[in-house]
């Protein structure tokens, strides 16, 4: 079965999460009835265009919503215990110790006024209450764990003294310093060159295996999904529209949005110039289209009334298939079989 119904290995369980943000222009729901599970030792990729709700889902769980943001409904469980992400104290305890997070902009995420060793040590001291000396040793140990050469010397460097790739390794070190059970990597290779991107992804995959943690990769790069993820959740307009084993979703997608993402992504087996951009723009969350929010951009909708009228439920076409939220998923599946 594509999405395992057995929850014995689920570390983080997000169920029907709905987030509300009040803006000067009105109320938006960037996360709308989202359910995801992070399983021990496995990698979940969450993909979609900007504004699809990928990052905001996990910012909600970790109590990092922007001003005006609240959780309207839903349940979050960590290792089977229900967590109230609206409780600031509970959210702080969850961050770092249970769930580590790596933000996409390492330069913005590090304080230029403190050495990288100090910044990692502060995370350790805050959660573990150890001495400065012990916290610094833990920081040096973690810098070595993420592949920074001469970690004792580099611990005394300031962020500007390190390359972009090294700064990203420091961010990863901060994320894993407390040996969390779940590590969320939000676009971890943004602004890095291709060679360094590959090194960072290999590092994250190695840490997942070495520390036995669950890894969540928030990305728009389907190449990363194909290489590193075991499960993938595709999001659009604040909802999960397709979810299952990564290999199956990428090979036999039954949602038009995932299909469009694949067509617009570079592939090593495709000729130059074969990319097909997705027409239109992602939905304005202040005025989300009725029915399926993808229908204004979907060639399969083609004026069908149910697409603009009814929100499709996330469902499985068979016990072996992935979950999909499309009124015409069966039609897509039959067309793939007939080819």
């Amino acid at each position: 079965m594509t999405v395992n119904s057995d929850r014995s290995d689920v570390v983080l369980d997000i169920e029907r999460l709905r987030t509300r943000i009040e803006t000067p222009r009105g109320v938006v729901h960037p996360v709308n009835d989202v359910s995801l599970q992070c399983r021990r030792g496995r990698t979940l990729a969450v993909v979609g265009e900007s504004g699809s709700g990928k990052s905001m889902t996990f910012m909600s769980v970790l109590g990092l919503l922007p001003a005006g943001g609240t959780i309207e409904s839903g349940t979050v469980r960590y290792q089977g215990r229900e967590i109230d992400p609206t409780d600031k104290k509970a959210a702080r305890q969850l961050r770092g110790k249970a769930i580590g997070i790596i933000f996409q902009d390492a330069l913005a995420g590090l304080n230029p006024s403190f050495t990288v060793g100090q910044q990692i040590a502060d995370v350790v001291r805050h959660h573990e209450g150890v001495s400065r000396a012990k916290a610094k040793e833990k920081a040096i140990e973690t810098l070595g764990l993420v592949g920074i050469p001469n970690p004792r010397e580099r611990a005394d460097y300031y962020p500007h003294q390190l390359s972009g790739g090294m700064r990203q390794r420091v961010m990863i070190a901060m994320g894993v310093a407390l040996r969390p059970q779940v590590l969320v990597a939000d676009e971890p290779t943004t602004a890095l060159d291709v060679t360094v991107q590959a090194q960072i992804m290999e590092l994250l995959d190695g840490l997942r295996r070495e520390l036995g943690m669950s890894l969540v990769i928030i990305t728009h790069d389907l190449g990363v999904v194909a290489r590193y993820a075991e499960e993938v959740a595709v999001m659009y307009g604040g909802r999960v529209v397709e979810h299952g084993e990564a290999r199956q979703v990428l090979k036999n997608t039954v949602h038009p949005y995932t299909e469009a993402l694949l067509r617009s992504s570079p592939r090593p087996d495709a000729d130059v110039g074969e990319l097909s951009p997705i027409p239109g723009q992602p939905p304005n969350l202040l005025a989300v289209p009725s029915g399926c929010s993808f229908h204004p951009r979907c060639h399969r909708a083609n004026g069908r009334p149910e697409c603009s009228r009814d929100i499709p439920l996330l469902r499985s076409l068979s016990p072996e298939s992935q979950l999909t939220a499309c009124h015409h998923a069966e039609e897509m599946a039959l067309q793939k079989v007939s080819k």
Side-chain angles (χ1 to χ4, degrees):
M1 186 170 177
T2 301
V3 179
N4 193 346
S5 58
D6 177 14
R7 298 196 172 191
S8 61
D9 63 343
V10 173
V11 183
L12 179 65
D13 191 353
I14 304 167
E15 187 173 357
R16 306 206 69 174
L17 188 66
R18 181 177 166 89
T19 297
R20 166 193 178 102
I21 298 179
E22 296 184 15
T23 76
R25 297 175 58 196
V27 174
V28 299
H29 291 92
V31 181
N32 202 342
D33 198 28
V34 170
S35 296
L36 293 171
Q37 293 80 43
C38 304
R39 299 180 181 275
R40 181 172 287 105
R42 286 172 64 85
T43 297
L44 166 68
V46 186
V47 303
E49 294 167 287
S50 297
S52 62
K54 310 182 301 297
S55 300
M56 198 60 71
T57 296
F58 291 91
M59 296 303 102
S60 301
V61 169
L62 294 170
L64 295 174
L65 287 172
T70 57
I71 293 176
E72 279 193 349
S73 59
T75 305
V76 177
R77 295 183 182 86
Y78 174 72
Q79 293 189 332
R81 180 169 62 92
E82 188 168 333
I83 302 293
D84 180 4
T86 63
D87 182 335
K88 292 184 178 180
K89 183 178 179 181
R92 282 197 302 270
Q93 292 174 341
L94 198 64
R95 291 197 302 267
K97 187 68 176 176
I99 304 174
I101 185 163
I102 305 164
F103 296 106
Q104 56 181 287
D105 189 343
L107 194 57
L110 294 170
N111 191 323
S113 303
F114 297 94
T115 66
V116 296
Q118 283 177 287
Q119 295 182 62
I120 299 169
D122 284 346
V123 172
V124 175
R125 291 195 71 208
H126 175 76
H127 286 275
E128 297 186 349
V130 297
S131 67
R132 290 183 184 277
K134 286 187 176 179
K136 184 173 182 179
E137 285 303 313
K138 184 71 169 285
I140 293 168
E141 174 192 337
T142 308
L143 287 172
L145 178 69
V146 300
I148 290 185
N150 304 316
R152 189 169 296 277
E153 177 186 344
R154 297 289 172 84
D156 294 327
Y157 280 30
Y158 289 88
H160 73 273
Q161 294 176 288
L162 298 171
S163 67
M166 285 295 174
R167 283 195 295 265
Q168 192 64 10
R169 287 176 186 266
V170 171
M171 290 294 292
I172 295 171
M174 293 179 72
V176 302
L178 300 169
R179 307 303 188 263
Q181 293 296 303
V182 180
L183 180 63
V184 179
D186 189 356
E187 298 282 7
T189 59
T190 297
L192 300 176
D193 65 51
V194 175
T195 302
V196 178
Q197 286 180 14
Q199 292 172 357
I200 293 299
M201 289 309 308
E202 288 294 330
L203 170 62
L204 288 170
D205 192 52
L207 288 170
R208 173 190 62 81
R209 287 182 271 109
E210 184 174 348
L211 301 179
M213 63 186 178
S214 172
L215 177 62
V216 179
I217 302 173
I218 298 171
T219 185
H220 62 276
D221 188 339
L222 292 177
V224 167
V225 177
R227 183 172 178 83
Y228 296 102
E230 286 133 327
E231 288 185 33
V232 60
V234 182
M235 292 190 67
Y236 187 82
R239 296 178 180 272
V240 175
V241 297
E242 193 159 19
H243 182 200
E245 294 291 327
R247 187 177 300 177
Q248 183 168 356
V249 170
L250 296 179
K251 185 178 180 180
N252 296 306
T253 178
V254 284
H255 195 283
Y257 179 57
T258 312
E259 181 182 58
L261 284 177
L262 287 166
R263 286 179 176 172
S264 65
S265 299
R267 298 198 334 253
D269 59 338
D271 294 333
V272 176
E274 285 190 8
L275 296 184
S276 177
I278 306 174
Q281 298 293 327
N284 179 353
L285 294 181
L286 288 166
V288 178
S290 60
C292 173
S293 58
F294 186 60
H295 86 263
R297 307 171 73 189
C298 180
H299 71 282
R300 292 183 180 275
N302 198 27
R304 290 167 163 172
E306 63 273 21
C307 296
S308 59
R309 183 187 63 221
D310 304 321
I311 297 174
L313 299 176
L314 193 64
R315 60 198 173 90
S316 179
L317 303 187
S318 73
E320 293 77 31
S321 74
Q322 65 265 39
L323 302 176
T324 186
C326 176
H327 293 300
H328 307 290
E330 288 88 353
E331 177 184 296
M332 285 187 66
L334 285 172
Q335 287 177 351
K336 288 180 179 292
V337 170
S338 63
K339 286 183 179 179

